[in-house]
Amino acid sequence: MRGAGGPGTPGPAGPGGGGVNLLALRSHNAALVLDLLRAAGDEGISRLELAERTGLTPQAVSKITARLREDGLAAEAGRRASTGGKPRTVLRLVPEAGHAVGVHLDRDEVRAVLVDLRGTVVGERRAALDLGAGAEAVLGAVRETVTGVPAAGMGGEGNASPLGPARPGQARPDPTLLGVGVALPGPLDHSRGVLHRVTGFPEWDGFPLREVLAERLGVPVVVDKDTNAAALGLAAGGQGGSFAYLHLGTGLGAGLVIGGSVHRGARTGAGEFGHQVIQLDGPNCTCGNRGCVEALCLHAVERGDLREAARVLGAGAANLVGLLDIDVVLLGGRTVAAAPETFTDGVGAVLEAWARRTGQDAVPVRVAAGGGGAVAVGAAELVLGPVFGRGGG
């Protein structure tokens, strides 16, 4: 999931933002090295291995790793026996050298997580939310939730905040905080951070969420759809190949990873999976159509008929598999989490029947890793991804 160019600050630089210049220091080659250090874990990796895997010269790797150590991003992790000559010094990533906050802004809840450079969650907070309560109330809830995330993982006290000490009129974020990623239901314009007519909440149409939140929080902000963020997080966590992440909670959407990269589309509107019409005279959907997969699924859930909801979800998944020929379907969201076997069995049965008709192998169906926090963790990856030369903000 490599980016086309070197990583830069995700989204526009927010006001204030002490410490967030860390991203601007990274070159594309440094990002390649950082990504390998991240993957190596605590065991570390030698400079020679870094040169072999990146294609850089040993001299270039030595310069890059020296700068990373100077910045506090890398450290020695001991020595490893060599096949000839003296033992090799191995290096590791220093996870606490940088952090990101991921925010899942759902229709009825806001969840914020603080993660380190490895993507490990070191703090979390959740709160009830009404996405239809108006911009001022929602923005205030986001700031309050982010401020309330325990930031002990940053080296401070347990009640410290990623945004730093309260100071009227001026944000003072922790120096290691790289930014905040925000994921919420679409449709929206990821590149500009502007919301469109969020399904069920058309009053958000045209709202510049990224710009306003960056001003409120004092750090760079990236905005994306909840399903895209979750898919990005899954790919960063090791899920390979081309896959679809289907999220069923207060709504239904898809995050698509094709050829190792999140597919957002020319207008960043891809993945509106829930609003494919599969029953022309079906129930009304909040998007204005009738018979959408989302409406049929949610109505079945409301009736307590989870098997029917899984069957409908399977019909939509089969359409997706037929269109994109993906490797695996991953399921997530609070509704799936409440009855995972019902949904994997139900969706799997539809895909197996589709495969028998087409003479192809059935595409596997699994519950996505990360549980209920997958979207928030993926939102943090929107910020971290560019640091490691990966797609993100």
Side-chain angles (χ1 to χ4, degrees):
M1 209 162 59
R2 297 286 183 196
T9 300
V20 298
N21 288 332
L22 176 64
L23 292 182
L25 300 177
R26 304 278 66 81
S27 70
H28 179 60
N29 289 340
L32 298 180
V33 171
L34 278 170
D35 193 38
L36 289 172
L37 289 171
R38 187 190 202 194
D42 290 331
E43 292 185 4
I45 184 171
S46 72
R47 292 178 179 83
L48 181 59
E49 289 173 300
L50 288 170
E52 291 173 346
R53 297 188 190 183
T54 60
L56 300 172
T57 65
Q59 293 82 1
V61 168
S62 291
K63 288 182 180 179
I64 290 169
T65 54
R67 180 63 182 275
L68 294 177
R69 291 183 63 189
E70 183 180 326
D71 291 343
L73 292 168
E76 288 191 3
R79 293 179 178 273
R80 183 181 302 160
S82 174
T83 54
K86 63 181 182 180
R88 298 173 185 168
T89 300
V90 293
L91 301 172
R92 65 172 180 87
L93 182 72
V94 179
E96 62 272 20
H99 295 84
V101 171
V103 177
H104 181 191
L105 192 56
D106 208 344
R107 293 172 174 87
D108 60 358
E109 179 186 78
V110 57
R111 180 196 297 247
V113 298
L114 177 69
V115 307
D116 62 21
L117 287 179
R118 285 187 185 160
T120 302
V121 176
V122 295
E124 180 174 1
R125 190 179 185 199
R126 298 166 65 181
L129 175 81
D130 177 6
L131 194 57
E136 197 60 36
V138 171
L139 294 170
V142 171
R143 178 174 172 80
E144 181 179 350
T145 305
V146 171
T147 302
V149 174
M154 288 177 154
E157 299 298 327
N159 60 354
S161 166
L163 296 181
R167 185 175 174 183
Q170 184 177 357
R172 290 195 299 157
D174 186 283
T176 68
L177 182 62
L178 305 178
V180 175
V182 180
L184 71 161
L188 54 81
D189 184 336
H190 162 72
S191 60
R192 297 191 301 128
V194 174
L195 305 186
H196 292 320
R197 296 176 65 85
V198 177
T199 305
F201 301 91
E203 64 272 20
W204 283 101
D205 189 22
F207 189 82
L209 183 63
R210 184 180 69 187
E211 177 184 340
V212 175
L213 270 181
E215 178 69 30
R216 295 287 184 98
L217 302 180
V219 295
V221 171
V222 190
V223 174
D224 206 347
K225 289 197 300 187
D226 46 11
T227 49
N228 286 345
L232 178 66
L234 291 167
Q239 178 62 52
S242 297
F243 65 87
Y245 167 76
L246 307 184
H247 185 95
L248 179 59
T250 58
L252 173 62
L256 307 173
V257 171
I258 300 175
S261 299
V262 175
H263 178 69
R264 295 186 174 96
R267 290 165 294 280
T268 73
E272 289 300 311
F273 168 84
H275 300 295
Q276 56 175 304
V277 175
I278 63 173
Q279 184 179 334
L280 292 178
D281 58 349
N284 292 323
C285 182
T286 51
C287 73
N289 282 329
R290 299 185 62 177
C292 292
V293 176
E294 177 177 297
L296 293 167
C297 267
L298 294 182
H299 284 194
V301 171
E302 289 172 3
R303 298 194 306 269
D305 191 350
L306 297 187
R307 292 186 182 277
E308 174 63 9
R311 188 179 73 88
V312 173
L313 183 58
N319 289 341
L320 199 57
V321 169
L323 283 171
L324 300 177
D325 194 20
I326 53 179
D327 300 315
V328 62
V329 171
L330 302 175
L331 306 179
R334 68 178 72 168
T335 304
V336 170
E341 290 187 3
T342 299
F343 281 94
T344 54
D345 290 349
V347 173
V350 177
L351 291 182
E352 287 172 6
W354 182 86
R356 286 195 298 270
R357 292 194 300 272
T358 60
Q360 301 176 5
D361 293 334
V363 172
V365 180
R366 298 196 300 269
V367 173
V375 173
V377 172
E381 193 64 32
L382 291 167
V383 176
L384 293 182
V387 179
F388 300 97
R390 295 176 174 269

mmCIF file of all heavy atoms in Angstrom, residues 31-64:
data_model
loop_
_atom_site.group_PDB
_atom_site.id
_atom_site.type_symbol
_atom_site.label_atom_id
_atom_site.label_comp_id
_atom_site.label_asym_id
_atom_site.label_seq_id
_atom_site.Cartn_x
_atom_site.Cartn_y
_atom_site.Cartn_z
ATOM 1 N N ALA A 31 10.972 6.895 5.060
ATOM 2 C CA ALA A 31 9.703 6.211 5.307
ATOM 3 C C ALA A 31 9.820 4.712 5.038
ATOM 4 O O ALA A 31 9.258 3.892 5.771
ATOM 5 C CB ALA A 31 8.603 6.816 4.439
ATOM 6 N N LEU A 32 10.557 4.349 3.986
ATOM 7 C CA LEU A 32 10.770 2.933 3.698
ATOM 8 C C LEU A 32 11.482 2.244 4.862
ATOM 9 O O LEU A 32 11.128 1.132 5.270
ATOM 10 C CB LEU A 32 11.603 2.767 2.424
ATOM 11 C CG LEU A 32 11.020 3.302 1.118
ATOM 12 C CD1 LEU A 32 11.989 3.051 -0.031
ATOM 13 C CD2 LEU A 32 9.668 2.670 0.820
ATOM 14 N N VAL A 33 12.494 2.912 5.385
ATOM 15 C CA VAL A 33 13.246 2.353 6.513
ATOM 16 C C VAL A 33 12.364 2.258 7.751
ATOM 17 O O VAL A 33 12.349 1.236 8.453
ATOM 18 C CB VAL A 33 14.494 3.212 6.786
ATOM 19 C CG1 VAL A 33 15.182 2.774 8.088
ATOM 20 C CG2 VAL A 33 15.472 3.119 5.625
ATOM 21 N N LEU A 34 11.613 3.311 8.025
ATOM 22 C CA LEU A 34 10.719 3.300 9.184
ATOM 23 C C LEU A 34 9.695 2.167 9.088
ATOM 24 O O LEU A 34 9.373 1.515 10.085
ATOM 25 C CB LEU A 34 9.993 4.643 9.305
ATOM 26 C CG LEU A 34 10.752 5.778 9.983
ATOM 27 C CD1 LEU A 34 10.011 7.091 9.796
ATOM 28 C CD2 LEU A 34 10.935 5.479 11.467
ATOM 29 N N ASP A 35 9.179 1.926 7.888
ATOM 30 C CA ASP A 35 8.179 0.880 7.708
ATOM 31 C C ASP A 35 8.774 -0.493 8.036
ATOM 32 O O ASP A 35 8.129 -1.336 8.668
ATOM 33 C CB ASP A 35 7.647 0.903 6.278
ATOM 34 C CG ASP A 35 6.397 0.060 6.105
ATOM 35 O OD1 ASP A 35 5.552 0.054 7.015
ATOM 36 O OD2 ASP A 35 6.281 -0.613 5.072
ATOM 37 N N LEU A 36 10.017 -0.726 7.619
ATOM 38 C CA LEU A 36 10.670 -2.000 7.922
ATOM 39 C C LEU A 36 10.984 -2.115 9.411
ATOM 40 O O LEU A 36 10.877 -3.201 9.998
ATOM 41 C CB LEU A 36 11.946 -2.143 7.098
ATOM 42 C CG LEU A 36 11.723 -2.373 5.596
ATOM 43 C CD1 LEU A 36 13.046 -2.306 4.845
ATOM 44 C CD2 LEU A 36 11.043 -3.719 5.353
ATOM 45 N N LEU A 37 11.350 -1.016 10.045
ATOM 46 C CA LEU A 37 11.571 -1.033 11.492
ATOM 47 C C LEU A 37 10.280 -1.355 12.230
ATOM 48 O O LEU A 37 10.275 -2.110 13.205
ATOM 49 C CB LEU A 37 12.109 0.323 11.958
ATOM 50 C CG LEU A 37 13.548 0.675 11.566
ATOM 51 C CD1 LEU A 37 13.846 2.128 11.901
ATOM 52 C CD2 LEU A 37 14.538 -0.241 12.276
ATOM 53 N N ARG A 38 9.175 -0.793 11.746
ATOM 54 C CA ARG A 38 7.878 -1.067 12.368
ATOM 55 C C ARG A 38 7.531 -2.538 12.246
ATOM 56 O O ARG A 38 7.086 -3.162 13.205
ATOM 57 C CB ARG A 38 6.809 -0.202 11.695
ATOM 58 C CG ARG A 38 5.443 -0.274 12.368
ATOM 59 C CD ARG A 38 4.394 0.396 11.499
ATOM 60 N NE ARG A 38 3.231 0.802 12.261
ATOM 61 C CZ ARG A 38 2.075 1.169 11.746
ATOM 62 N NH1 ARG A 38 1.926 1.203 10.430
ATOM 63 N NH2 ARG A 38 1.068 1.529 12.499
ATOM 64 N N ALA A 39 7.742 -3.111 11.065
ATOM 65 C CA ALA A 39 7.398 -4.514 10.834
ATOM 66 C C ALA A 39 8.295 -5.459 11.623
ATOM 67 O O ALA A 39 7.886 -6.564 11.986
ATOM 68 C CB ALA A 39 7.493 -4.833 9.341
ATOM 69 N N ALA A 40 9.525 -5.041 11.909
ATOM 70 C CA ALA A 40 10.472 -5.913 12.596
ATOM 71 C C ALA A 40 10.143 -6.106 14.066
ATOM 72 O O ALA A 40 10.591 -7.078 14.681
ATOM 73 C CB ALA A 40 11.886 -5.347 12.451
ATOM 74 N N GLY A 41 9.376 -5.204 14.650
ATOM 75 C CA GLY A 41 9.002 -5.343 16.054
ATOM 76 C C GLY A 41 10.190 -5.184 16.986
ATOM 77 O O GLY A 41 11.200 -4.550 16.661
ATOM 78 N N ASP A 42 10.084 -5.815 18.156
ATOM 79 C CA ASP A 42 11.127 -5.678 19.175
ATOM 80 C C ASP A 42 12.429 -6.369 18.777
ATOM 81 O O ASP A 42 13.496 -6.027 19.292
ATOM 82 C CB ASP A 42 10.641 -6.248 20.509
ATOM 83 C CG ASP A 42 9.559 -5.391 21.138
ATOM 84 O OD1 ASP A 42 9.574 -4.168 20.897
ATOM 85 O OD2 ASP A 42 8.709 -5.939 21.855
ATOM 86 N N GLU A 43 12.349 -7.351 17.893
ATOM 87 C CA GLU A 43 13.557 -8.061 17.487
ATOM 88 C C GLU A 43 14.503 -7.170 16.697
ATOM 89 O O GLU A 43 15.710 -7.375 16.684
ATOM 90 C CB GLU A 43 13.201 -9.292 16.652
ATOM 91 C CG GLU A 43 12.493 -10.377 17.436
ATOM 92 C CD GLU A 43 12.263 -11.612 16.596
ATOM 93 O OE1 GLU A 43 12.724 -11.638 15.424
ATOM 94 O OE2 GLU A 43 11.638 -12.542 17.107
ATOM 95 N N GLY A 44 13.960 -6.199 16.004
ATOM 96 C CA GLY A 44 14.780 -5.265 15.261
ATOM 97 C C GLY A 44 15.271 -5.812 13.934
ATOM 98 O O GLY A 44 14.968 -6.954 13.546
ATOM 99 N N ILE A 45 16.044 -5.002 13.255
ATOM 100 C CA ILE A 45 16.544 -5.352 11.935
ATOM 101 C C ILE A 45 17.899 -4.652 11.740
ATOM 102 O O ILE A 45 18.102 -3.534 12.229
ATOM 103 C CB ILE A 45 15.532 -4.928 10.844
ATOM 104 C CG1 ILE A 45 15.986 -5.377 9.454
ATOM 105 C CG2 ILE A 45 15.278 -3.432 10.879
ATOM 106 C CD1 ILE A 45 14.901 -5.162 8.387
ATOM 107 N N SER A 46 18.822 -5.300 11.062
ATOM 108 C CA SER A 46 20.156 -4.725 10.877
ATOM 109 C C SER A 46 20.169 -3.736 9.714
ATOM 110 O O SER A 46 19.299 -3.756 8.843
ATOM 111 C CB SER A 46 21.175 -5.829 10.626
ATOM 112 O OG SER A 46 20.991 -6.385 9.325
ATOM 113 N N ARG A 47 21.204 -2.914 9.685
ATOM 114 C CA ARG A 47 21.345 -1.954 8.587
ATOM 115 C C ARG A 47 21.542 -2.669 7.258
ATOM 116 O O ARG A 47 21.052 -2.214 6.217
ATOM 117 C CB ARG A 47 22.518 -1.017 8.869
ATOM 118 C CG ARG A 47 22.287 -0.061 10.048
ATOM 119 C CD ARG A 47 23.519 0.797 10.293
ATOM 120 N NE ARG A 47 23.323 1.743 11.391
ATOM 121 C CZ ARG A 47 23.480 1.437 12.673
ATOM 122 N NH1 ARG A 47 23.815 0.190 13.029
ATOM 123 N NH2 ARG A 47 23.290 2.355 13.612
ATOM 124 N N LEU A 48 22.261 -3.790 7.293
ATOM 125 C CA LEU A 48 22.478 -4.541 6.055
ATOM 126 C C LEU A 48 21.157 -5.068 5.501
ATOM 127 O O LEU A 48 20.898 -4.986 4.293
ATOM 128 C CB LEU A 48 23.445 -5.701 6.302
ATOM 129 C CG LEU A 48 23.776 -6.565 5.068
ATOM 130 C CD1 LEU A 48 24.386 -5.706 3.964
ATOM 131 C CD2 LEU A 48 24.709 -7.711 5.455
ATOM 132 N N GLU A 49 20.306 -5.583 6.389
ATOM 133 C CA GLU A 49 18.994 -6.068 5.956
ATOM 134 C C GLU A 49 18.149 -4.914 5.418
ATOM 135 O O GLU A 49 17.416 -5.071 4.439
ATOM 136 C CB GLU A 49 18.273 -6.747 7.117
ATOM 137 C CG GLU A 49 18.870 -8.081 7.533
ATOM 138 C CD GLU A 49 18.211 -8.608 8.788
ATOM 139 O OE1 GLU A 49 18.280 -7.916 9.829
ATOM 140 O OE2 GLU A 49 17.637 -9.711 8.744
ATOM 141 N N LEU A 50 18.243 -3.763 6.048
ATOM 142 C CA LEU A 50 17.503 -2.595 5.571
ATOM 143 C C LEU A 50 17.944 -2.220 4.163
ATOM 144 O O LEU A 50 17.115 -1.900 3.299
ATOM 145 C CB LEU A 50 17.719 -1.409 6.521
ATOM 146 C CG LEU A 50 17.029 -1.497 7.885
ATOM 147 C CD1 LEU A 50 17.524 -0.388 8.801
ATOM 148 C CD2 LEU A 50 15.516 -1.419 7.734
ATOM 149 N N ALA A 51 19.241 -2.280 3.926
ATOM 150 C CA ALA A 51 19.756 -1.951 2.587
ATOM 151 C C ALA A 51 19.264 -2.963 1.560
ATOM 152 O O ALA A 51 18.842 -2.594 0.450
ATOM 153 C CB ALA A 51 21.286 -1.910 2.615
ATOM 154 N N GLU A 52 19.292 -4.244 1.922
ATOM 155 C CA GLU A 52 18.862 -5.288 0.986
ATOM 156 C C GLU A 52 17.391 -5.151 0.638
ATOM 157 O O GLU A 52 16.984 -5.324 -0.512
ATOM 158 C CB GLU A 52 19.145 -6.657 1.595
ATOM 159 C CG GLU A 52 20.634 -6.995 1.699
ATOM 160 C CD GLU A 52 20.875 -8.292 2.472
ATOM 161 O OE1 GLU A 52 19.925 -8.773 3.137
ATOM 162 O OE2 GLU A 52 22.001 -8.801 2.415
ATOM 163 N N ARG A 53 16.557 -4.834 1.628
ATOM 164 C CA ARG A 53 15.105 -4.812 1.399
ATOM 165 C C ARG A 53 14.622 -3.523 0.763
ATOM 166 O O ARG A 53 13.575 -3.507 0.111
ATOM 167 C CB ARG A 53 14.377 -5.061 2.724
ATOM 168 C CG ARG A 53 14.667 -6.434 3.316
ATOM 169 C CD ARG A 53 13.790 -6.713 4.508
ATOM 170 N NE ARG A 53 14.223 -7.904 5.217
ATOM 171 C CZ ARG A 53 13.597 -8.411 6.266
ATOM 172 N NH1 ARG A 53 12.506 -7.805 6.745
ATOM 173 N NH2 ARG A 53 14.051 -9.489 6.865
ATOM 174 N N THR A 54 15.347 -2.447 0.969
ATOM 175 C CA THR A 54 14.920 -1.172 0.372
ATOM 176 C C THR A 54 15.578 -0.912 -0.967
ATOM 177 O O THR A 54 15.083 -0.098 -1.757
ATOM 178 C CB THR A 54 15.263 0.009 1.299
ATOM 179 O OG1 THR A 54 16.676 0.041 1.517
ATOM 180 C CG2 THR A 54 14.532 -0.108 2.628
ATOM 181 N N GLY A 55 16.727 -1.589 -1.240
ATOM 182 C CA GLY A 55 17.477 -1.305 -2.459
ATOM 183 C C GLY A 55 18.367 -0.086 -2.331
ATOM 184 O O GLY A 55 18.984 0.341 -3.317
ATOM 185 N N LEU A 56 18.435 0.475 -1.123
ATOM 186 C CA LEU A 56 19.308 1.623 -0.890
ATOM 187 C C LEU A 56 20.735 1.151 -0.634
ATOM 188 O O LEU A 56 20.967 0.002 -0.253
ATOM 189 C CB LEU A 56 18.799 2.423 0.320
ATOM 190 C CG LEU A 56 17.386 3.004 0.216
ATOM 191 C CD1 LEU A 56 16.965 3.582 1.553
ATOM 192 C CD2 LEU A 56 17.336 4.068 -0.876
ATOM 193 N N THR A 57 21.681 2.039 -0.811
ATOM 194 C CA THR A 57 23.067 1.693 -0.519
ATOM 195 C C THR A 57 23.268 1.640 0.993
ATOM 196 O O THR A 57 22.552 2.321 1.756
ATOM 197 C CB THR A 57 24.034 2.732 -1.108
ATOM 198 O OG1 THR A 57 23.830 3.991 -0.443
ATOM 199 C CG2 THR A 57 23.817 2.885 -2.608
ATOM 200 N N PRO A 58 24.244 0.847 1.468
ATOM 201 C CA PRO A 58 24.532 0.823 2.911
ATOM 202 C C PRO A 58 24.847 2.207 3.459
ATOM 203 O O PRO A 58 24.480 2.527 4.595
ATOM 204 C CB PRO A 58 25.754 -0.113 2.997
ATOM 205 C CG PRO A 58 25.619 -1.013 1.814
ATOM 206 C CD PRO A 58 25.054 -0.147 0.732
ATOM 207 N N GLN A 59 25.527 3.041 2.642
ATOM 208 C CA GLN A 59 25.851 4.387 3.102
ATOM 209 C C GLN A 59 24.581 5.217 3.313
ATOM 210 O O GLN A 59 24.455 5.953 4.310
ATOM 211 C CB GLN A 59 26.759 5.086 2.075
ATOM 212 C CG GLN A 59 28.147 4.479 1.949
ATOM 213 C CD GLN A 59 28.175 3.239 1.041
ATOM 214 O OE1 GLN A 59 27.136 2.846 0.486
ATOM 215 N NE2 GLN A 59 29.353 2.642 0.892
ATOM 216 N N ALA A 60 23.631 5.087 2.372
ATOM 217 C CA ALA A 60 22.370 5.831 2.505
ATOM 218 C C ALA A 60 21.598 5.369 3.733
ATOM 219 O O ALA A 60 21.034 6.188 4.477
ATOM 220 C CB ALA A 60 21.523 5.652 1.252
ATOM 221 N N VAL A 61 21.579 4.066 3.953
ATOM 222 C CA VAL A 61 20.874 3.529 5.121
ATOM 223 C C VAL A 61 21.521 4.021 6.404
ATOM 224 O O VAL A 61 20.831 4.379 7.371
ATOM 225 C CB VAL A 61 20.851 1.988 5.078
ATOM 226 C CG1 VAL A 61 20.394 1.418 6.420
ATOM 227 C CG2 VAL A 61 19.934 1.510 3.967
ATOM 228 N N SER A 62 22.844 4.057 6.447
ATOM 229 C CA SER A 62 23.545 4.538 7.637
ATOM 230 C C SER A 62 23.182 5.995 7.943
ATOM 231 O O SER A 62 22.951 6.366 9.100
ATOM 232 C CB SER A 62 25.061 4.410 7.453
ATOM 233 O OG SER A 62 25.456 3.055 7.431
ATOM 234 N N LYS A 63 23.112 6.822 6.900
ATOM 235 C CA LYS A 63 22.741 8.225 7.101
ATOM 236 C C LYS A 63 21.299 8.345 7.607
ATOM 237 O O LYS A 63 21.003 9.132 8.510
ATOM 238 C CB LYS A 63 22.901 9.005 5.795
ATOM 239 C CG LYS A 63 24.347 9.243 5.393
ATOM 240 C CD LYS A 63 24.420 10.065 4.104
ATOM 241 C CE LYS A 63 25.865 10.316 3.698
ATOM 242 N NZ LYS A 63 25.960 11.098 2.439
ATOM 243 N N ILE A 64 20.416 7.566 7.002
ATOM 244 C CA ILE A 64 19.002 7.637 7.398
ATOM 245 C C ILE A 64 18.819 7.164 8.832
ATOM 246 O O ILE A 64 18.139 7.814 9.631
ATOM 247 C CB ILE A 64 18.135 6.802 6.432
ATOM 248 C CG1 ILE A 64 18.083 7.471 5.058
ATOM 249 C CG2 ILE A 64 16.723 6.622 6.991
ATOM 250 C CD1 ILE A 64 17.465 6.595 3.982
#
